[in-house]
Amino acid sequence: AAVAAGIGADGADSGVAQAEMQEEEPLVTMDIGQGSEISIPQRVCSVFFEAEFSVGSMAPTFDVDISARGPDGKPVASFGLTLHSLDGRAAHRIASMLADLRGLRWPDFLRAREGGAAGLPKALQDTPPASALMELLRIALSSNGGAILPEGFSSPQECVCCYFDTMCDLLAPVATDFCQLFHCEEVLPSVFCVEIASSFVLGSTFVRAQEYYECPNEQFRRKCFSLEEYKAWCRSPDGGGQFAYYLKWHGFNIPSWVLKDLRTGRLGRLRPQEEALLASIPSHSGTHYIIGAAPGNAPTLRHEMAHGLYTTNEDYRSVAISILSEQFSAEETESLRKTLLGMGYCDDPDILRDEMQAYMASGDDLGSARPDVQRLLSENFDAYSERARRGASVEVIDWQWRNAGDGHELVQDAQAQGHDPTHPTRLRPGLRGPPCRARVTSGFA
């Protein structure tokens, strides 16, 4: 694929290449037991970063000052940070990861080319400098070290997301640079999944379209806006106080009318990632759905496919809505609504119903302590998605719970009804299973 002129320029790399080759005496060599030693360098340099190591104020700890470089070889003023109070092993890991970037050049910014990828850890092969910066911060914070971030950033996640955007602004990649990172597949009839390995590329590709569709702030939902305007709101108290979008959301879903609005300019001028997204979706004249996820992320893919089926399959949507309305009390529904609003979703009844069924179809009961309903929606997704894949005639499915002795078992009684919208969806209220706790995830990224 063609590479943008900014990314393809290697001229500023020559001085850095010489610095990479310079051998320096290590800052310190440490005995870590069992006859093994590690060395902490004084300096590690690549086209992306320059790092200076020093002994910390509380020996034996270490500090490292990291400055980001631009394509002109000069430091990027807004991206200098310090990792401090590192133990020897953490400092060594950070030095090794920075050294892994040696040999890469600016054309490797979005994905390491074949030559540069040799010996590069898999975690760094997509968006190597942004991925490395994320890992450096993770190593420091997980080893009881600390980080002094550049001014204006309230979290490590925000720092890394904005570093990626800043470097994209400086390098000016074009749509063809991003197209080579996308893989599009029709995972269900009229449901197209765009797989993108890098969370930074994935999030920056979908951010405007996703928020145009379902942003909780009406300033952006169904409105024309720029990425910078959206970032400014995210940094406000109402928006959560930080822009960490690319590391917060791992899957995306937009109906085809949003794609049409994006294509016709209703969101404003297209960014290169968005041009690449439009180019990757096959032509489709009817209602269809676009989802985005990283390859191999099965739970996220299932969640997003449930969104796609909800929009493109009328019978699946009807059954899912009936399950939610008949199985949950008004108090339970309101509790689920508050949970989703707290997660950042907009207060739109249909969008919230769609989210409820998608989370439960992918195994998350959203803290409802109703595993019976969660399993019912999951089994419903399995049945309809399998029929959709096989191209079978539409069936209305009769679900019921059957007492299975020491537990509960879902039983499906499905009869082919053809595509008859007058045929009623039959749902029997069932037994409730044992309560369960909502799954909680935490940690950096």
Side-chain angles (χ1 to χ4, degrees), residues 88-100:
R89 290 180 184 273
H92 178 70
R93 289 175 63 197
I94 286 171
S96 297
M97 183 159 289
L98 287 164
D100 286 334

Side-chain angles (χ1 to χ4, degrees), residues 144-374:
N144 296 318
I148 301 174
L149 301 175
E151 185 177 356
F153 299 126
S154 62
S155 71
Q157 294 93 328
E158 181 176 30
C159 177
V160 180
C161 290
C162 292
Y163 166 77
F164 175 79
D165 283 340
T166 296
M167 299 316 297
C168 283
D169 290 342
L170 293 174
L171 292 167
V174 295
T176 49
D177 293 319
F178 289 102
C179 279
Q180 60 188 321
L181 310 178
F182 294 10
H183 171 73
C184 183
E185 181 179 352
E186 190 174 18
V187 291
L188 290 171
S190 301
V191 178
F192 298 92
C193 179
V194 179
E195 289 188 332
I196 305 173
S198 166
S199 60
F200 302 105
V201 177
L202 177 66
S204 67
T205 297
F206 277 91
V207 54
R208 283 207 309 159
Q210 189 70 61
E211 299 312 307
Y212 179 83
Y213 172 45
E214 60 178 8
C215 183
N217 186 342
E218 293 184 359
Q219 176 187 347
F220 303 104
R221 192 163 72 249
R222 317 292 199 271
K223 301 292 196 310
C224 175
F225 64 92
S226 69
L227 178 61
E228 290 307 314
E229 289 171 334
Y230 179 71
K231 281 180 160 183
W233 173 70
C234 288
R235 293 190 179 108
S236 72
D238 289 342
Q242 64 172 334
F243 178 79
Y245 195 91
Y246 311 151
L247 297 175
K248 177 180 180 180
W249 302 106
H250 304 290
F252 300 90
N253 57 284
I254 53 174
S256 53
W257 64 264
V258 172
L259 199 72
K260 179 181 178 181
D261 285 359
L262 181 66
R263 182 179 287 111
T264 56
R266 288 180 178 269
L267 280 71
R269 183 177 180 179
L270 291 175
R271 301 165 61 237
Q273 297 97 312
E274 295 163 345
E275 293 178 16
L277 176 64
L278 293 172
S280 70
I281 308 297
S283 177
H284 195 292
S285 58
T287 298
H288 54 290
Y289 210 83
I290 299 88
I291 62 178
N297 190 339
T300 296
L301 178 60
R302 182 180 174 94
H303 176 105
E304 305 305 341
M305 287 173 65
H307 282 307
L309 202 59
Y310 185 87
T311 294
T312 59
N313 189 308
E314 183 179 347
D315 287 325
Y316 172 80
R317 180 171 64 254
S318 176
V319 173
I321 291 173
S322 295
I323 292 172
L324 291 169
S325 62
E326 295 183 15
Q327 297 296 317
F328 283 124
S329 67
E331 292 76 12
E332 288 172 321
T333 300
E334 177 62 16
S335 177
L336 288 169
R337 171 181 166 273
K338 290 179 178 178
T339 296
L340 289 168
L341 294 181
M343 295 167 66
Y345 292 100
C346 68
D347 197 1
D348 178 287
D350 192 53
I351 288 176
L352 293 178
R353 280 193 297 267
D354 189 5
E355 290 298 341
M356 290 175 197
Q357 68 85 25
Y359 272 103
M360 294 196 183
S362 54
D364 190 335
D365 74 352
L366 292 171
S368 65
R370 290 294 305 274
D372 55 331
V373 183
Q374 183 273 307

Side-chain angles (χ1 to χ4, degrees), residues 10-224:
D10 282 345
D13 295 345
S14 57
V16 176
Q18 294 177 2
E20 287 178 344
M21 299 298 292
Q22 293 177 0
E23 293 290 338
E24 295 187 10
E25 290 293 322
L27 177 67
V28 67
T29 299
M30 301 178 63
D31 184 350
I32 58 173
Q34 298 182 342
S36 298
E37 292 183 339
I38 56 173
S39 293
I40 312 299
Q42 297 181 42
R43 180 171 179 260
V44 180
C45 185
S46 70
V47 298
F48 307 115
F49 302 108
E50 182 174 351
E52 300 280 350
F53 289 78
S54 60
V55 177
S57 58
M58 298 291 290
T61 62
F62 301 89
D63 301 339
V64 54
D65 295 316
I66 302 173
S67 60
R69 292 176 175 269
D72 59 0
K74 298 178 181 179
V76 180
S78 56
F79 285 97
L81 66 150
T82 298
L83 307 180
H84 62 86
S85 308
L86 307 170
D87 61 36
R89 290 180 184 273
H92 178 70
R93 289 175 63 197
I94 286 171
S96 297
M97 183 159 289
L98 287 164
D100 286 334
L101 299 177
R102 288 175 166 175
L104 297 183
R105 296 295 178 260
W106 286 111
D108 301 302
F109 174 74
L110 291 176
R111 174 174 288 171
R113 296 168 295 177
E114 186 173 345
L120 193 66
K122 185 177 180 180
L124 301 187
Q125 291 183 5
D126 286 279
T127 53
S131 298
L133 184 58
M134 180 176 68
E135 290 301 317
L136 299 179
L137 286 160
R138 192 196 305 274
I139 291 170
L141 298 176
S142 64
S143 62
N144 296 318
I148 301 174
L149 301 175
E151 185 177 356
F153 299 126
S154 62
S155 71
Q157 294 93 328
E158 181 176 30
C159 177
V160 180
C161 290
C162 292
Y163 166 77
F164 175 79
D165 283 340
T166 296
M167 299 316 297
C168 283
D169 290 342
L170 293 174
L171 292 167
V174 295
T176 49
D177 293 319
F178 289 102
C179 279
Q180 60 188 321
L181 310 178
F182 294 10
H183 171 73
C184 183
E185 181 179 352
E186 190 174 18
V187 291
L188 290 171
S190 301
V191 178
F192 298 92
C193 179
V194 179
E195 289 188 332
I196 305 173
S198 166
S199 60
F200 302 105
V201 177
L202 177 66
S204 67
T205 297
F206 277 91
V207 54
R208 283 207 309 159
Q210 189 70 61
E211 299 312 307
Y212 179 83
Y213 172 45
E214 60 178 8
C215 183
N217 186 342
E218 293 184 359
Q219 176 187 347
F220 303 104
R221 192 163 72 249
R222 317 292 199 271
K223 301 292 196 310
C224 175

